[in-house]
């Protein structure tokens, strides 16, 4: 399936809400089906109302739109600070809350429909932002002068609103250099975006400069080309772009898949990826990566051109 080149960072594989919202009564025409719970908000006790008529749940709820109000919020597998971090929500990205209980919001991320639990106090009611951080990170400062205090940082991909004033954007959280930003629907070379994160530590479930995993790196990089990629490498492999025939010469921006791993070509021979081998974002020869990851003659690399 060809990924839409007009996708915004907030688009994802979201079920048909209009038809679900228009109906007051739901019925199943056949047996309830099994859906991938990574990207379909369904639990034993509740489900997204968009799934009504698709599967049975004791209760359906219409999601409430919220946005991440902190620089980075963990998306966890369970409502517990010690639970596995399955993804991350970046400042300004949307989260659709299906259930709210015990200080935790359960629902799905707006940009990729990935399901999990987010601390409720990390979310807020807010309008969509108009600017996006395109640097590895952007400093939030108390003012636009050289001696202004640094208040914090926002990661690549964070979305903000504010008023442009000279070379800076004035936001409620602080002042950001416009050089660190791009219009939210702006387009940049995805491989160049990945290269800005060289040396970032590997972190399972991570999506930013302080910790990122292989599929998070590819997802984030592609978003700057307007391509809304899924969260996990197997979902990306199944849905991104056009698969290339074996022995096709690779080019910058092609995405390469291995068993349980994904990277992006920076040229015809080298790949950038968040590596568990170096425990960081690194560039290495594709041949070396293939030799390390493909040890079974029945397994091969798959290349996709988004």
């Amino acid at each position: 399936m060809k990924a839409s080149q007009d996708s915004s960072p907030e688009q994802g594989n979201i079920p048909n809400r209009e038809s679900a919202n228009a109906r007051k009564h739901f019925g199943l025409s056949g047996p309830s089906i099994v859906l991938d719970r990574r990207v379909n908000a369904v639990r034993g006790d509740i489900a997204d109302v968009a799934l009504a008529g698709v599967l049975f749940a004791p209760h359906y709820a219409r999601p409430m739109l919220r946005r991440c109000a902190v620089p980075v919020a963990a998306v966890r597998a369970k409502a517990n600070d010690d639970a596995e971090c399955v993804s991350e929500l970046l400042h300004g990205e949307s989260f659709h809350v299906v259930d709210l209980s015990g200080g935790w919001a359960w629902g799905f991320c707006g940009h990729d429909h990935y399901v999990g639990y987010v601390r409720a106090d990390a979310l807020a009611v807010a309008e969509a932002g108009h600017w996006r951080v395109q640097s590895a990170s952007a400093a939030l400062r108390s003012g636009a002068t050289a001696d202004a205090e640094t208040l914090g940082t926002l990661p690549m991909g964070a979305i903000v609103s504010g008023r442009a004033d000279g070379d800076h954007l004035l936001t409620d959280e602080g002042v950001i250099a416009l050089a660190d930003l791009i219009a939210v629907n702006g387009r940049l070379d995805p491989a160049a975006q990945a290269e800005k994160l060289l040396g970032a530590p590997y972190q399972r479930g991570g999506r930013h400069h302080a910790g990122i995993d292989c599929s998070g790196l590819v997802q984030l990089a592609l978003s700057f080309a307007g391509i809304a990629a899924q969260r996990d490498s197997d979902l990306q492999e199944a849905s991104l772009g056009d698969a290339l025939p074996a022995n096709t010469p690779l080019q910058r921006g092609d995405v390469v898949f291995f068993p349980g791993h994904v990277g992006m070509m920076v040229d015809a021979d080298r790949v950038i990826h968040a590596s568990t081998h170096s425990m960081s974002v690194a560039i290495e020869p594709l041949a070396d990566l293939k030799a390390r990851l493909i040890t079974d003659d029945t397994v091969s690399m798959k290349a996709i051109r988004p």
Side-chain angles (χ1 to χ4, degrees), residues 8-306:
S8 78
E10 287 298 293
Q11 289 178 319
N13 182 25
I14 301 176
N16 187 334
R17 304 196 171 284
E18 289 189 12
S19 59
N21 292 345
R23 301 193 303 268
K24 293 183 179 180
H25 303 285
F26 308 103
L28 291 176
S29 58
S32 182
I33 63 175
V34 177
L35 297 176
D36 190 334
R37 295 196 179 200
R38 290 176 296 175
V39 291
N40 290 280
V42 55
R43 296 187 321 208
D45 60 331
I46 192 171
D48 177 5
V49 71
L51 298 174
V54 176
L55 55 75
F56 172 77
H59 179 66
Y60 300 100
R62 183 170 291 112
M64 301 178 293
L65 175 62
R66 297 292 184 267
R67 296 189 186 276
C68 183
V70 297
V72 180
V75 181
R76 299 195 180 276
K78 298 179 180 179
N80 188 308
D81 287 320
D82 295 325
E84 178 188 4
C85 175
V86 295
S87 191
E88 289 179 330
L89 200 63
L90 308 179
H91 184 281
E93 289 184 329
S94 66
F95 190 78
H96 299 258
V97 181
V98 178
D99 184 47
L100 189 62
S101 177
W104 289 89
W106 177 75
F108 54 90
C109 304
H111 61 280
D112 60 8
H113 220 264
Y114 212 73
V115 176
Y117 292 84
V118 176
R119 273 283 182 190
D121 56 9
L123 304 173
V125 177
E127 296 295 322
H130 304 293
W131 298 85
R132 199 166 182 233
V133 175
Q134 57 90 12
S135 304
S137 65
L140 283 166
R141 301 174 67 85
S142 60
T145 60
D147 60 349
E149 177 186 0
T150 299
L151 304 175
T153 61
L154 292 177
M156 178 188 290
I159 300 170
V160 295
S161 293
R163 177 174 62 85
D165 184 11
D167 294 331
H168 294 83
L169 185 74
L170 310 183
T171 78
D172 291 340
E173 291 90 356
V175 177
I176 307 173
L178 282 175
D180 289 325
L181 303 172
I182 187 174
V184 75
N185 289 320
R187 299 291 181 258
L188 294 171
D189 173 22
Q193 291 304 110
E195 288 174 312
K196 291 176 184 178
L197 295 173
L198 272 172
Y202 179 90
Q203 176 184 307
R204 184 174 176 82
R207 293 182 62 230
H208 74 298
H209 64 284
I212 195 164
D213 63 16
C214 63
S215 55
L217 178 67
V218 168
Q219 182 191 58
L220 183 61
L222 287 176
S223 71
F224 282 91
I227 299 170
Q230 294 285 348
R231 179 62 181 87
D232 293 343
S233 61
D234 64 320
L235 298 173
Q236 293 173 356
E237 183 176 356
S239 61
L240 272 179
D242 298 317
L244 300 177
N247 301 319
T248 301
L250 298 179
Q251 65 185 36
R252 185 175 175 86
D254 287 347
V255 180
V256 289
F257 292 91
F258 302 87
H261 192 62
V262 62
M264 179 176 288
M265 301 303 295
V266 296
D267 55 35
D269 303 305
R270 297 179 304 151
V271 61
I272 185 169
H273 61 130
S275 168
T276 55
H277 182 68
S278 64
M279 291 306 293
S280 67
V281 175
I283 293 176
E284 67 175 302
L286 178 61
D288 291 354
L289 187 59
K290 289 173 70 174
R292 193 166 66 247
L293 296 183
I294 299 180
T295 58
D296 184 341
D297 292 340
T298 65
V299 176
S300 61
M301 180 192 81
K302 181 177 180 181
I304 287 176
R305 187 155 293 161

